[in-house]
Amino acid sequence: MRKTGINKKGDITMNFETAEVTYEKPHRLSGILLHPTSCPSPYGIGDLGQDAYDFVDFLEKSGQHLWQILPLTPTGFGDSPYQSFSAFAGQPLLISPAHLKELGLLEEAELSDCPRGDGHHVDYGTIIPWKSKILASAFSRFLHTSDKMLLEEYDAFYNANQFWLDDYALFMACKAMHDGKDWLSWEEAYRRPTDSLKKELKKQLSKEIQYHYFVQFLFFKEWYALKKYANEKDIQIIGDIPIFVSLDSADAWANQHLFQLDSKGYPTSVAGVPPDYFSTTGQLWGNPLYNWDAHKKEGYKWWTSRIRNQLDLLDYLRIDHFRGFEAYWAVPFGEETAINGTWKHGPKEDLFLAIEKALGKNLPIIAEDLGVITPEVEKLRDQFHFPGMKVLQFAFESTEESTFLPHQFTTTNCVCYTGTHDNDTSAGWYQTASEYSRDKVRRYMNTDASSIHFDFIRTCLGSIAAYAVFPLQDVLGVGKEGRMNCPGVADGNWAWRYQKEALSDSLAEALCSVTRLYGR
């Protein structure tokens, strides 16, 4: 038990009286969705430095117990966290330059030419080469460091992560050797290297490989420190992984037998979703599909390692496109649309039984169960007690009664979102919604919509869902300019950043007040 005085005077919607309350840690939790790249940071992109710690402090002040992020893996073409070079590695762009300076691996002068941009968006075109340059400088100093503790930490990290790190570092070194081209465009010997060639390449590219070991060591060192800080403040982190991996990844390259690839490495079928109300041609994602028979033969070792790795980094794990474990849409490679795909059976409960056998029951997994979900998918989700997702914006897009409306929730075992990274912000959505939708929102939430973003948050918090999560953009009342991702649009995504002064004490107090009001 702890006694907390809460100033319930908020400047967002209304004034509240001041009161002393006594409470126990709630079983109903809430939190904020924010990817670390969106933090302010003086170095052009949000990172794992001081501004991330300041955000954790804001979560604590505002009474939140959850911090949801996007995948932490290194991004490829399009800067999407859902198209990564590895399902295990960390994002080098998140490494804090200030921390490198503290470690004695960089000097202040080396940070002076940082392309800071406008502060509201990440300019990936300028920040990626600059970050790569300073990481290379830090590596050069690391090779000559006399810091025994740092070297011991580095060795311990390598020994604990060698099972994925060797393939990843070799893949990235070979990729650099081929001017960044995808591995299917490499020479035959490099596309499907023999063990003897790998051994020779490790000697030939030893310095480049060690560089990638070093960068990953830095990322994990910083991430674990930040996670520890959050957990000590009673804040748990919800991570995210896509069900499929990128074709141009160390995972596909080093484990070709685990994917539906031909003898030259090309996919025989790729992932997507069929035509529906939103798209007459479906969505062609292009990710390689798993060879589930091969995974089963190996006892689902790769998947178990992936989940174990992620749950070591996170407290909860959201799996994107969960329905693909029950059945997935397979599109013949070379098709221009997803129309000519077919449904194929996934591993179903067999996979999760294997993971439970290795990691234990009651896995802290959240199932992304949006879209057209069948009773079979729901059965699989419920068999393992995985919370599903309810997105409030979806509840008001139709004249029909919707299962996304809070009064229709049939279980507390779900996560209620105002919106996700793929949605417009709540304020932006409301601005362009139909008059019918806006009227339905106003009547349902009993509001004049003057603070519509906070109305969405309040409705989310007041639902019976055990977990309530809302993007920081909704907390701040940001409009369309704050949208993180627009599916189907190739450019301009993943770039939004908030300003340091936005996280005010008055905002934290108002959010804390309404959070406590609904028992979270």
Side-chain angles (χ1 to χ4, degrees):
M1 299 284 287
R2 57 175 173 166
K3 194 172 185 180
T4 304
I6 301 176
N7 182 349
K8 295 190 174 181
K9 183 172 287 187
D11 59 0
I12 295 183
T13 55
M14 63 183 70
N15 291 331
F16 298 89
E17 296 178 358
T18 300
E20 287 286 319
V21 297
T22 301
Y23 68 96
E24 295 180 354
K25 178 183 174 181
H27 296 293
R28 287 159 52 81
L29 302 177
S30 64
I32 296 176
L33 167 60
L34 177 82
H35 199 50
T37 56
S38 294
C39 289
S41 172
Y43 301 109
I45 185 173
D47 56 42
L48 304 181
Q50 185 57 50
D51 290 291
Y53 285 79
D54 291 344
F55 177 69
V56 171
D57 292 341
F58 176 80
L59 288 170
E60 183 185 37
K61 289 178 186 175
S62 60
Q64 307 309 305
H65 293 278
L66 299 172
W67 176 12
Q68 183 165 337
I69 59 176
L70 305 183
L72 288 169
T73 46
T75 51
F77 177 76
D79 308 307
S80 170
Y82 296 88
Q83 291 290 341
S84 176
F85 294 134
S86 170
F88 294 83
Q91 169 63 287
L93 294 177
L94 289 175
I95 294 171
S96 166
H99 183 235
L100 297 181
K101 192 172 65 170
E102 291 173 10
L103 292 174
L105 299 175
L106 283 182
E107 295 180 356
E108 181 63 38
E110 293 174 280
L111 304 179
S112 61
D113 62 345
C114 173
R116 304 181 195 281
D118 63 6
H120 296 275
H121 299 89
V122 179
D123 183 353
Y124 287 100
T126 59
I127 205 64
I128 290 174
W130 181 80
K131 207 81 178 247
S132 298
K133 182 184 73 170
I134 65 166
L135 287 172
S137 296
F139 175 60
S140 295
R141 284 195 178 86
F142 176 74
L143 291 176
H144 304 289
T145 186
S146 57
D147 188 333
K148 291 184 179 180
M149 183 175 294
L150 191 65
L151 291 170
E152 288 175 1
E153 288 180 11
Y154 172 83
D155 288 340
F157 166 76
Y158 175 76
N159 291 332
N161 293 276
Q162 187 177 0
F163 71 96
W164 63 265
L165 190 55
D166 280 345
D167 282 336
Y168 169 73
L170 178 58
F171 172 78
M172 295 302 290
C174 288
K175 193 172 182 63
M177 185 182 184
H178 290 87
D179 300 319
K181 295 177 181 177
D182 67 89
W183 65 269
L184 283 176
S185 65
W186 301 352
E187 308 93 296
E188 173 66 23
Y190 288 89
R191 287 205 307 271
R192 301 176 68 87
T194 61
D195 289 342
S196 59
L197 178 59
K198 281 188 175 183
K199 188 175 181 180
E200 179 59 34
L201 287 172
K202 286 178 180 179
K203 292 180 182 178
Q204 180 184 339
L205 302 171
S206 61
K207 189 172 181 180
E208 291 86 351
I209 288 171
Q210 191 177 354
Y211 165 76
H212 290 288
Y213 292 164
F214 167 73
V215 169
Q216 289 304 304
F217 162 65
L218 290 175
F219 171 85
F220 280 81
K221 178 179 174 63
E222 290 188 7
W223 174 255
Y224 282 125
L226 178 60
K227 181 180 183 293
K228 181 174 183 288
Y229 184 79
N231 289 165
E232 287 173 348
K233 291 181 174 291
D234 206 13
I235 293 164
Q236 296 176 301
I237 297 176
I238 303 175
D240 197 347
I241 61 169
I243 183 175
F244 300 117
V245 301
S246 173
L247 177 59
D248 190 24
S249 67
D251 311 287
W253 175 73
N255 304 282
Q256 295 181 41
H257 67 293
L258 296 179
F259 297 88
Q260 296 181 28
L261 306 178
D262 64 20
S263 60
K264 293 186 177 181
Y266 288 92
T268 54
S269 296
V270 294
V273 290
D276 57 19
Y277 174 81
F278 299 102
S279 173
T280 56
T281 59
Q283 295 179 41
L284 184 63
W285 295 339
N287 304 76
L289 295 168
Y290 296 108
N291 179 344
W292 286 116
D293 289 339
H295 280 273
K296 183 173 183 176
K297 187 176 181 180
E298 296 185 0
Y300 299 103
K301 179 182 177 182
W302 183 88
W303 261 100
T304 299
S305 295
R306 185 185 188 189
I307 298 298
R308 179 188 287 113
N309 169 265
Q310 290 297 301
L311 290 180
D312 189 45
L313 290 168
L314 308 160
D315 299 299
Y316 296 87
L317 177 62
R318 190 195 85 118
I319 302 181
D320 198 45
H321 197 60
F322 178 82
R323 71 107 54 244
F325 293 117
E326 196 282 324
Y328 58 90
W329 188 248
V331 183
F333 182 63
E335 290 284 328
E336 294 184 358
T337 72
I339 290 178
N340 294 321
T342 54
W343 287 109
K344 303 287 187 180
H345 290 298
K348 303 182 181 180
E349 68 274 7
D350 202 36
L351 169 64
F352 293 104
L353 289 172
I355 295 173
E356 280 191 341
K357 184 177 180 180
L359 305 183
K361 292 184 180 294
N362 300 316
L363 296 168
I365 288 174
I366 296 169
E368 187 274 292
D369 56 352
L370 304 175
V372 180
I373 301 301
T374 64
E376 291 79 10
V377 177
E378 293 176 345
K379 180 181 178 182
L380 178 64
R381 177 198 66 200
D382 295 343
Q383 179 179 347
F384 295 94
H385 309 290
F386 297 153
M389 292 176 57
K390 303 289 187 181
V391 181
L392 287 183
Q393 285 185 23
F394 296 162
F396 301 98
E397 291 182 344
S398 168
T399 59
E400 303 297 324
E401 189 72 358
S402 170
T403 57
F404 292 110
L405 287 166
H407 69 269
Q408 290 284 10
F409 293 2
T410 58
T411 177
T412 60
N413 192 35
C414 60
V415 188
C416 184
Y417 292 86
T418 55
T420 73
H421 62 278
D422 284 332
N423 291 90
D424 200 345
T425 67
S426 290
W429 174 87
Y430 184 81
Q431 289 167 4
T432 56
S434 68
E435 181 50 39
Y436 169 82
S437 292
R438 291 198 296 269
D439 178 65
K440 187 176 179 180
V441 168
R442 291 191 297 267
R443 288 185 293 113
Y444 192 88
M445 298 183 183
N446 191 26
T447 179
D448 63 2
S450 59
S451 296
I452 194 63
H453 57 290
F454 207 65
D455 293 321
F456 267 87
I457 290 173
R458 182 166 44 77
T459 304
C460 186
L461 289 168
S463 74
I464 67 168
Y467 310 95
V469 177
F470 25 87
L472 182 64
Q473 292 94 318
D474 287 353
V475 177
L476 300 179
V478 176
K480 287 187 168 297
E481 69 277 11
R483 185 164 187 166
M484 194 63 170
N485 179 49
C486 188
V489 176
D491 300 320
N493 294 319
W494 320 110
W496 179 78
R497 300 174 71 196
Y498 71 90
Q499 302 299 292
K500 194 178 187 72
E501 61 273 13
L503 304 186
S504 65
D505 287 342
S506 61
L507 180 64
E509 289 169 1
L511 183 55
C512 184
S513 174
V514 73
T515 299
R516 295 289 176 251
L517 178 65
Y518 289 108
R520 297 188 184 271

